[in-house]
Amino acid sequence: MSSPSTQFATLRRMGVYEPNHHQIGMWGESFRCDSTPHTGESTIVEADMKLDNRVLRRLAQNREAARKSRLRKKAYVQQLESSRMKLAQIEQELERTRQQLQGAFLGGYVGDSSHLPFGGTVNSGVVAFELEFGHWVEEQNRQIRELRSALQAHVSDFELRILVESGMSHYDDLFRMKTIAAKSDVFFLISGMWRTAAERCFLWIGGFRPSEVLKVLSPRLEPLTEKQVMDVCNLQQSSQQAEDALSQGMEKLQQTLAETLTSEPLGISDVANYMGQMTKAMGKLEALASFVNQADHLRQQTMQQMYLILTPRQAARGLLALGDYFQRLRALSSLWAARPHEPA
């Protein structure tokens, strides 16, 4: 079937049909009226596009929230798995150490297996702490590498916050371990025999001095805002005051202990008086564990306050600098031990 335009052209050639201007105008009006639905369709399309954009934005937000949730869950699961493996390794090494100690030291002491040569005894709490602290140092080294890589890769603040919180939790584990060790042998803990030689040089009541660490870290955290500078200075001053109070308490304890030991004339062989003095002195020594716990609490509180003052990126740099500082002290100890000795 031919189109209307073809039919009109045929009729015109035959002289049968000749449209007038009035009809053409009517057609034009008709065509304009016919265009109105198309305008409506355009409006609907624009509305649909706006709706689609809102939906796409909402979907993108949901995807980002889901991604962050997956990251948090992954970090939590990894931490749980790491803790589980660490605990299993510690249990295995404790068992191996117990067997080695029995074989190496207790073989000739069948009748009195609790004693070691030179009158010493096996303190299982100290052995457990040394093993656990060795694993703690290994984990800290791994976290330092991870922090350094994250800062170099310019990861998001959200990812840095996860790493920093994991590092803070790792120091909390150390303070928990030390609380348990102080109950087993507070002298071992205060002496710093679980630390390297260079670390022991800076030891203060069984650990690092918070105010000194703040001095070491502050240049690594710049640029700081004026408020941050003021907050760090106030924290340093309050830490110094708390350290001074604890140091005075330790000096007072030492003075009291010396007075207790010399309360009776020296050189007298009265066993009853001698044992009485030792009993009083033992009672004084129980306060040592309390001083170590208070010093660790001050260290923990100082770190937490710094975390609140700093941005996630600054906190990551500070935690990295703190780990580097202890790594360098350990490296210095190794170099010192390996130095060539002059013949006597």
Side-chain angles (χ1 to χ4, degrees), residues 203 260 286 315:
L203 205 65
T260 301
E286 292 179 358

Side-chain angles (χ1 to χ4, degrees), residues 98-113:
R98 185 183 67 80
Q99 294 174 358
Q100 290 170 359
L101 287 173
Q102 287 178 342
F105 297 111
L106 306 182
Y109 294 82
V110 178
D112 189 8
S113 61

Side-chain angles (χ1 to χ4, degrees), residues 40-53:
E41 287 182 11
S42 175
T43 304
I44 293 173
V45 168
E46 290 179 0
D48 287 344
M49 290 178 64
K50 292 180 180 178
L51 180 60
D52 288 343
N53 289 335

Side-chain angles (χ1 to χ4, degrees), residues 54-70 72:
R54 286 197 296 270
V55 171
L56 289 174
R57 283 197 300 271
R58 180 62 59 83
L59 289 174
Q61 292 172 353
N62 290 343
R63 283 196 298 270
E64 179 64 14
R67 186 185 70 84
K68 292 180 178 179
S69 177
R70 286 194 299 272
R72 286 193 296 268

Side-chain angles (χ1 to χ4, degrees), residues 13 21 117 135 137 171 173 189 203 209 276 305 325 335:
R13 285 196 301 272
H21 295 290
H135 288 296
V137 172
Y171 276 98
D173 290 340
L189 203 61
L203 205 65
R209 190 182 286 270
Q305 289 297 318
Y325 175 66
L335 291 172

Side-chain angles (χ1 to χ4, degrees), residues 132-204:
E132 198 172 1
F133 180 69
H135 288 296
W136 187 91
V137 172
E138 292 176 1
E139 175 61 17
Q140 186 193 38
N141 292 338
R142 187 197 65 78
Q143 290 187 357
I144 290 173
R145 292 192 298 270
E146 192 173 11
L147 264 177
R148 183 176 287 108
S149 298
L151 287 169
Q152 290 174 349
H154 303 288
V155 301
S156 66
D157 284 355
F158 175 78
E159 293 171 290
L160 283 177
R161 188 181 295 277
I162 291 177
L163 294 176
V164 170
E165 289 179 355
S166 177
M168 296 286 289
S169 176
H170 192 54
Y171 276 98
D172 291 342
D173 290 340
L174 175 61
F175 300 136
R176 174 191 56 78
M177 290 158 45
K178 290 175 66 181
T179 299
I180 298 172
K183 295 177 182 178
S184 296
D185 189 346
V186 68
F187 284 113
F188 168 80
L189 203 61
I190 288 183
S191 68
M193 296 306 296
W194 48 286
R195 293 282 194 179
T196 60
E199 288 177 297
R200 288 198 296 271
C201 183
F202 296 94
L203 205 65
W204 174 77

